[in-house]
Amino acid sequence: MPGILWLASYPKSGNTWMRVFLANLILDEATPLPLQRINEVCSSEPNEIWFAPLTKDAPGTLSNKRIAALRTRAQERAASLNKNIMPMKTHSFLGKDYGYPTISVKASIGVIYIVRDPRDVVLSAADHYGLTIDQAIEMMGDKTTRGRAMAGNTVYERMSSWSDHVKSWTKWRHSPLMVLRYEDMLADPLRQLGGVARKLGITQDDQRIGRAVQFSSFKTLQAQEAETGFVEKSVNSQRFFRSGKSGGWRDKLSPSQAAAIERDHAVQMKRFGYLQDEA
């Protein structure tokens, strides 16, 4: 049954890793798939190509409200053009923006949601968006947060706060939902990513899965970016694949910064084991 399989996450939580894994798994080539070919398999929801046929004006010239009104139509059109399941990345939260839904249930056939410790997310987000850590903490706590558009490339995304993002997607009830923790993916990528491959019915072949895991490893991705660059790298960052580790916040955040994140996001952090009750 054709439709969109959402690869959803708050920014800097492992979404691109999942996309690279699935692209390598599905195309199953003998060498790592060039980063420039990821979109052949795993497209991006805010890409202007989905919006352009719906408007006479260039998508980059439209107001945010106009983009919000077109968003689900663009998703449904994208789904209608594909005969197979279409993996699609999104950083939008699941809800409404300017009164319009951010995600079309009609176009959707399932969700893979990746969650990551927000204390690590804030470090990557600060680097990616060119913010101080304090500014990134404020952004992640703001329910009005929208990702920046890149005229000629992508429209904006309605991210909301980190907590609202996690809460909205992990309460999805319309079709199958898989929730993965970034930290578990790091600890045992073969088990976690292999589980995705099997649940999606792509393959049961251990060798094929292992090859895709290897081809999407952080070491491989860093080497590919160093050689060819990566179009999704922010102008604010030296590289897209920056660290790929967990727990770095312990050395980078001040006690007051860590406490601010824990205070803002305690409920969802406890749900996913990032914060103990006694903390």
Side-chain angles (χ1 to χ4, degrees):
M1 179 179 178
I4 295 172
L5 171 67
W6 292 109
L7 309 179
S9 74
Y10 195 85
K12 311 309 295 182
S13 298
N15 200 306
T16 299
W17 182 10
M18 180 61 70
R19 290 166 63 210
V20 174
F21 167 72
L22 288 176
N24 275 283
L25 182 72
I26 292 169
L27 294 183
D28 192 29
E29 299 189 356
T31 57
L33 195 69
L35 294 174
Q36 291 82 353
R37 293 185 59 196
I38 294 173
N39 280 334
E40 289 181 19
V41 178
C42 302
S43 189
S44 183
E45 185 273 333
N47 195 313
E48 285 190 0
I49 64 172
W50 306 122
F51 293 80
L54 305 178
T55 172
K56 294 180 180 179
D57 301 312
T61 67
L62 302 179
S63 68
N64 283 355
K65 186 174 182 179
R66 179 62 177 150
I67 290 295
L70 292 175
R71 195 176 294 276
T72 55
R73 286 179 56 198
Q75 295 166 11
E76 289 161 10
R77 181 180 180 277
S80 72
L81 295 175
N82 289 269
K83 297 180 180 180
N84 300 312
I85 292 174
M86 182 181 189
M88 182 174 278
K89 161 194 168 183
T90 183
H91 289 316
S92 285
F93 90 126
L94 180 63
K96 290 190 175 182
D97 187 27
Y98 295 101
Y100 299 99
T102 58
I103 299 295
S104 169
V105 173
K106 176 182 176 182
S108 307
I109 56 93
V111 176
I112 297 174
Y113 187 80
I114 305 172
V115 61
R116 185 184 186 188
D117 189 327
R119 294 167 296 193
D120 280 326
V121 172
V122 77
L123 300 177
S124 293
D127 179 74
H128 183 75
Y129 292 110
L131 304 173
T132 66
I133 289 176
D134 288 335
Q135 288 172 331
I137 291 172
E138 183 178 356
M139 177 192 77
M140 289 175 60
D142 186 353
K143 293 185 177 183
T144 68
T145 296
R146 292 180 171 86
R148 301 168 185 170
M150 295 177 60
N153 188 0
T154 59
V155 301
Y156 81 95
E157 292 178 280
R158 176 73 160 83
M159 291 150 42
S160 191
S161 69
W162 181 86
S163 285
D164 274 9
H165 200 287
V166 173
K167 181 179 178 181
S168 69
W169 278 106
T170 56
K171 288 191 173 182
W172 175 268
R173 295 290 182 268
H174 305 290
S175 56
L177 166 70
M178 283 182 274
V179 179
L180 291 85
R181 294 196 332 156
Y182 180 84
E183 295 75 17
D184 296 333
M185 292 165 60
L186 280 178
D188 195 346
L190 194 59
R191 179 179 180 182
Q192 295 293 318
L193 297 175
V196 171
R198 294 182 177 93
K199 287 180 181 178
L200 292 178
I202 297 173
T203 183
Q204 301 288 328
D205 186 330
D206 290 340
Q207 287 189 336
R208 180 177 172 184
I209 292 171
R211 189 162 51 248
V213 168
Q214 178 185 351
F215 288 172
S216 59
S217 70
F218 200 81
K219 182 179 180 180
T220 300
L221 298 180
Q222 279 190 319
Q224 286 183 297
E225 183 180 14
E227 182 178 350
T228 65
F230 186 37
V231 68
E232 295 182 25
K233 183 188 78 69
S234 166
V235 295
N236 303 302
S237 305
Q238 291 186 340
R239 56 187 183 270
F240 184 90
F241 300 104
R242 190 181 63 89
S243 172
K245 298 179 180 179
S246 64
W249 66 269
R250 292 183 174 86
D251 298 322
K252 300 292 185 179
L253 297 182
S254 69
S256 63
Q257 288 172 331
I261 296 171
E262 292 161 6
R263 181 180 60 250
D264 289 346
H265 307 295
V267 172
Q268 299 305 319
M269 289 181 73
K270 288 178 182 177
R271 278 187 68 203
F272 291 96
Y274 298 128
L275 193 63
Q276 303 303 314
D277 289 337
E278 58 269 23

